[in-house]
């Protein structure tokens, strides 16, 4: 195999939602109260929903921009690459970057859709259904075979979430974005039976629960004066806590068919984590009353959990200790960790240096994603046209050059102060005033 022979399906990318998302998708009585995008006097675009304002932080949409323009400051849609919010441009970007398929997490509603939890249950449900239908029918439906559809939950109601899982499964969606820690959001923890209706629906439909880093809404900050590098370094590590919480929950034992993806968490830490699970079980299961029916925790983990990586040389090198059937690749477009448009080159360098055989490459780059998410791109895109080389040839002439898009280049100290403001708000337990 050569680089151009790779077939790439990314199980973690992101949408910056377009302004017309809710147009014509809500009952008439709710249209005036729908979330809407507005432009501020300073030229930044924000989403407004009742008393809540959600900006477009630049780190969420830096694809194709110079690193000097990275930061957390709000920005306008005209300052980011159109592929962030326009599905037609997104597919061009995917092909030019050699990427066949993509699963896209939400942005402004939050990874668990908590923004849509209102005092009117009917309105809240209408918002989630409208978003999910837009995502499945319009975004993913525009290019069959190019997107793995993903649904938002009704996070405030386990039974309603279960019903939504079943509804969207009938539309071909077998992926649900959720929170890494519902207790941190004020909901029952994973250690209660409250979520049983959801676990049952996920199991019945073969739908994967995707737990993305940061999905509890908590910013990983050690101190208000800590540099942002601390937060950025710790973000992937945050998933370790979620993995332990979910693994030791009774749901894993009571719902043997449930599948959980640890999204954007990397893989290099998994071998030690599995050793720690087994050691904890060996030393403490007698008094903690844990029982996996004769199986080791590491075996049970591989039955339930999917991990993903961007390049992660350590994880690729230790892939057999993780479980070759439990690893998927991700691009993370258009976030700041993404290597688009040169993701195939970065990935190939890691695969080549670790002498990964073709069979393992195929599992990590597309076969595992197809199996876990019940996704068959080849029903729409012939396999010989799905490779990195073929896709790039089909997008010849599409501009993927790095371009400055910011109207104003912000001084580094101003960027740091913006981060410190968010850090202070996070440590105080509240969101910064936008």
């Amino acid at each position: 195999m050569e680089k151009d022979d790779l077939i790439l399906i990314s199980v973690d990318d992101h949408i910056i939602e377009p302004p017309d998302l809710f147009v014509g998708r809500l009952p008439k009585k709710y249209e005036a109260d729908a979330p809407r995008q507005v432009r501020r006097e300073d030229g930044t675009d924000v989403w407004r929903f009742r008393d809540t304002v959600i900006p477009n932080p630049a780190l969420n949409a830096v694809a194709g921009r110079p690193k000097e323009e990275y930061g957390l400051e709000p920005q306008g849609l005209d300052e980011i690459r159109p592929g962030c919010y326009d599905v037609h441009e997104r597919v061009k970007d995917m092909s030019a970057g050699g990427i066949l398929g993509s699963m896209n997490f939400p942005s402004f509603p939050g990874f668990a859709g908590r923004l849509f939890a209102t005092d009117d249950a009917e309105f809240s449900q209408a918002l989630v259904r409208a978003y999910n239908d837009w995502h499945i029918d319009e975004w993913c439906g525009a290019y069959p075979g190019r997107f793995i559809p993903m649904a938002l939950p009704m996070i405030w109601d386990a039974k309603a979430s279960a019903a939504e899982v079943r509804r969207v499964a009938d539309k071909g969606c077998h992926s649900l974005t959720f929170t890494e820690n519902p207790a941190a959001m004020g909901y029952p923890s994973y250690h209660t039976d409250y979520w049983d209706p959801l676990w049952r629906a996920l199991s019945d439909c073969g739908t994967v629960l995707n737990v993305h880093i940061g999905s509890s809404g908590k910013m990983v900050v050690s101190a208000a004066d800590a540099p942002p590098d601390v937060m950025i370094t710790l973000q992937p590590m945050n998933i370790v806590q979620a993995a332990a919480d979910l693994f030791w929950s009774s749901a894993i034992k009571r719902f043997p068919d449930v599948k959980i993806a640890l999204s954007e968490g990397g893989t290099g830490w998994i071998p030690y984590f599995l050793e720690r699970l087994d050691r904890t079980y060996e030393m403490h299961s007698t008094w903690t009353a844990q029982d996996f029916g004769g199986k080791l925790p590491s075996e049970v983990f591989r039955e339930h959990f999917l991990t993903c990586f961007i390049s992660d040389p350590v994880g690729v090198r230790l892939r057999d200790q993780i479980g070759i059937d439990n690893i998927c690749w991700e691009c993370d477009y258009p976030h700041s960790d993404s290597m688009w448009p040169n993701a195939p080159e970065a990935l190939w360098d890691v695969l080549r240096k670790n002498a990964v055989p073709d069979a393992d490459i195929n599992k990590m780059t597309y076969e595992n994603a197809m199996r876990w998410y019940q996704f068959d791109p080849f029903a729409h895109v012939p396999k010989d046209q799905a490779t990195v080389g073929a896709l790039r040839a089909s997008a010849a002439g599409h501009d993927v050059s790095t371009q400055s898009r910011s109207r104003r280049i912000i001084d580094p100290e101003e960027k740091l102060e913006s981060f410190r403001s968010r850090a202070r708000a996070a440590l105080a337990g509240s969101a910064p005033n936008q």
Side-chain angles (χ1 to χ4, degrees):
M1 183 182 294
E2 298 295 336
K3 179 199 67 183
D4 281 353
D5 300 321
L6 292 170
I7 295 176
L8 300 179
I9 295 177
S10 170
V11 297
D12 174 45
D13 293 312
H14 302 265
I15 294 174
I16 303 299
E17 290 83 3
D20 61 352
L21 190 158
F22 287 102
V23 175
R25 295 192 174 275
L26 288 170
K28 290 287 186 183
K29 62 181 177 179
Y30 295 131
E31 286 182 349
D33 202 19
R36 62 190 69 253
Q37 192 172 106
V38 298
R39 171 151 291 198
R40 289 171 158 177
E41 291 183 1
D42 63 1
T44 60
D45 293 313
V46 299
W47 281 90
R48 288 190 183 275
F49 182 49
R50 295 185 168 179
D51 295 329
T52 304
V53 177
I54 304 99
N56 287 316
L59 282 180
N60 286 350
V62 296
R65 298 172 66 185
K67 291 181 179 179
E68 290 78 14
E69 295 183 12
Y70 287 19
L72 294 176
E73 298 73 23
Q75 60 189 356
L77 279 187
D78 56 353
E79 294 181 276
I80 65 178
R81 190 173 181 86
C84 299
Y85 56 86
D86 182 316
V87 68
H88 308 295
E89 292 298 315
R90 172 64 66 92
V91 169
K92 292 177 186 177
D93 282 357
M94 288 167 58
S95 294
I99 298 167
L100 169 64
S102 173
M103 188 169 72
N104 295 168
F105 282 84
S107 290
F108 91 84
F111 290 127
R114 189 181 186 181
L115 177 68
F116 298 153
T118 74
D119 53 2
D120 181 341
E122 184 181 346
F123 181 35
S124 298
Q125 291 179 14
L127 287 167
V128 171
R129 292 192 192 105
Y131 188 100
N132 288 343
D133 287 344
W134 166 80
H135 177 86
I136 296 167
D137 300 336
E138 188 167 327
W139 183 268
C140 299
Y143 292 90
R146 302 303 300 270
F147 295 101
I148 299 173
M150 166 177 275
L152 281 171
M154 297 177 184
I155 186 67
W156 60 90
D157 188 326
K159 292 181 179 178
S161 287
E164 184 66 2
V165 165
R166 297 182 190 278
R167 185 184 77 88
V168 298
D170 289 341
K171 294 163 70 75
C173 176
H174 297 282
S175 174
L176 184 77
T177 175
F178 209 67
T179 175
E180 61 202 350
N181 184 1
M185 302 176 77
Y187 301 112
S189 78
Y190 285 127
H191 306 287
T192 71
D193 61 4
Y194 175 80
W195 300 105
D196 281 9
L198 177 59
W199 294 126
R200 190 170 295 109
L202 292 168
S203 299
D204 290 348
C205 298
T207 297
V208 179
L209 186 84
N210 298 272
V211 180
H212 197 285
I213 59 170
S215 54
S216 63
K218 298 294 183 181
M219 192 176 181
V220 185
V221 180
S222 60
D225 55 353
D229 312 79
V230 174
M231 181 269 291
I232 295 169
T233 301
L234 288 177
Q235 270 188 327
M237 307 300 144
N238 200 38
I239 205 75
V240 180
Q241 179 175 311
D245 205 35
L246 281 157
F247 180 84
W248 294 112
S249 73
S250 63
I252 295 299
K253 303 184 185 73
R254 293 186 294 109
F255 297 93
D257 295 324
V258 75
K259 304 295 183 184
I260 301 167
L262 304 174
S263 303
E264 206 173 317
T267 57
W269 56 274
I270 297 289
Y272 169 74
F273 181 76
L274 296 181
E275 289 183 357
R276 184 61 182 168
L277 289 181
D278 288 348
R279 179 67 171 166
T280 299
Y281 185 67
E282 175 190 354
M283 299 302 294
H284 300 282
S285 61
T286 301
W287 74 271
T288 62
Q290 293 286 349
D291 183 4
F292 292 103
K295 295 179 180 178
L296 288 172
S298 54
E299 297 176 279
V300 176
F301 179 92
R302 295 186 184 103
E303 293 173 353
H304 293 277
F305 288 85
L306 179 69
T307 65
C308 66
F309 73 101
I310 298 176
S311 62
D312 207 344
V314 172
V316 171
R317 187 160 58 250
L318 301 178
R319 62 191 179 279
D320 291 328
Q321 295 181 40
I322 297 167
I324 192 61
D325 295 319
N326 300 78
I327 305 172
C328 281
W329 176 78
E330 64 168 299
C331 180
D332 199 28
Y333 177 106
H335 283 192
S336 56
D337 267 354
S338 177
M339 297 180 182
W340 181 91
N342 300 313
E345 284 73 20
L347 175 61
W348 184 249
D349 185 57
V350 173
L351 296 173
R352 181 180 52 81
K353 287 180 178 177
N354 286 281
V356 182
D358 290 0
D360 285 4
I361 291 174
N362 288 337
K363 284 189 174 186
M364 294 188 293
T365 56
Y366 74 97
E367 290 178 351
N368 288 344
M370 290 176 60
R371 177 169 52 86
W372 278 73
Y373 292 101
Q374 302 181 49
F375 176 59
D376 182 12
F378 305 130
H380 304 278
V381 181
K383 199 169 184 179
D384 63 351
Q385 297 176 29
T387 64
V388 167
L391 289 167
R392 282 179 162 170
S394 73
H398 183 59
D399 190 357
V400 295
S401 63
T402 300
Q403 298 178 27
S404 175
R405 293 181 180 270
S406 294
R407 287 185 295 272
R408 180 174 72 93
I409 304 300
I410 301 173
D411 180 83
E413 183 54 39
E414 185 178 344
K415 292 184 179 184
L416 288 173
E417 182 50 41
S418 174
F419 170 78
R420 295 185 192 111
S421 174
R422 290 171 178 267
R424 288 191 293 269
L427 290 170
S430 64
N433 182 25
Q434 294 294 343

